[in-house]
């Protein structure tokens, strides 16, 4: 906001984890903003792994390795804009990302606005900075576009 005071920001909090409710909200938002040049940003971290987070990696894997493995499933679904697959991976792989609902809203909004692609612009885990740590959190930057 400091760098671009001409840009207005309207925060949205997404609490539901019900796919149909999020789809409906995204479609309504897309219809409301159809003729406007709007950027929707969702923030989340991805997998939280380690004893402190209540998710221990399988034997033989470091927290960083396990986080990368879990995150790869999510990232593939984001990259392909596969919303059903995204929900399925989060559930079946027990991915511990905080912003599941905002991320789903971002995908659904993009699809409702005609998005055809998503690009992964960055990926890292906290283990990249602290390789020997007993926990790791994943992070990705994704751009959804038409």
């Amino acid at each position: 906001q400091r760098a671009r005071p001409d840009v207005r920001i309207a925060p949205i909090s997404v609490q539901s984890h019900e796919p149909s409710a999020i789809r409906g909200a995204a479609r309504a938002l897309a219809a409301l903003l159809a003729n406007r040049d709007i950027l929707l940003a969702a923030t989340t971290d991805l997998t939280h792994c380690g004893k402190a987070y209540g998710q221990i990696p399988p034997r033989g894997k470091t927290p960083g390795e396990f986080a990368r493995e879990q995150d790869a499933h999510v990232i593939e679904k984001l990259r392909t804009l596969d919303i059903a697959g995204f929900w399925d991976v989060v559930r079946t792989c027990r991915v511990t990302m905080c912003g599941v609902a905002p991320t789903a809203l971002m995908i659904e909004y993009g699809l409702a606005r005609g998005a055809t692609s998503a690009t992964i612009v960055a990926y890292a885990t906290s283990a990249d900075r602290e390789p020997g740590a007993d926990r790791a959190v994943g992070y990705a930057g994704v751009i959804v576009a038409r």
Side-chain angles (χ1 to χ4, degrees):
Q1 192 67 50
R2 227 178 290 207
R4 291 285 311 271
D6 59 311
V7 174
R8 294 187 304 177
I9 297 173
I12 300 170
S13 177
V14 184
Q15 300 299 317
S16 175
H17 280 97
E18 176 55 45
S20 62
I22 289 175
R23 182 176 305 113
R27 288 179 179 169
L29 192 59
L32 178 69
L33 304 173
N35 297 321
R36 302 186 69 186
D37 189 19
I38 301 290
L39 169 69
L40 179 70
T43 63
T44 186
D45 36 26
L46 297 174
T47 298
H48 295 69
C49 180
K51 187 175 181 182
Y53 299 120
Q55 186 175 53
I56 308 298
R59 183 178 298 282
K61 291 191 182 184
T62 67
E65 290 168 341
F66 184 66
R68 280 184 203 86
E69 184 179 284
Q70 291 286 88
D71 294 347
H73 299 298
V74 171
I75 288 169
E76 178 59 19
K77 299 308 176 188
L78 294 174
R79 190 185 64 71
T80 59
L81 299 176
D82 179 357
I83 188 65
F86 170 77
W87 283 111
D88 186 51
V89 160
V90 168
R91 250 189 314 276
T92 60
C93 294
R94 298 180 54 213
V95 177
T96 54
M97 61 189 287
C98 296
V100 173
T103 302
L105 180 73
M106 177 192 69
I107 297 167
E108 290 282 12
Y109 176 80
L111 291 169
R113 294 281 307 250
T116 58
S117 67
T119 303
I120 311 307
V121 294
Y123 176 76
T125 72
S126 58
D128 296 338
R129 290 182 85 60
E130 295 182 65
D134 63 350
R135 61 183 173 209
V137 179
Y139 307 92
V142 181
I143 297 174
V144 176
R146 295 188 246 182

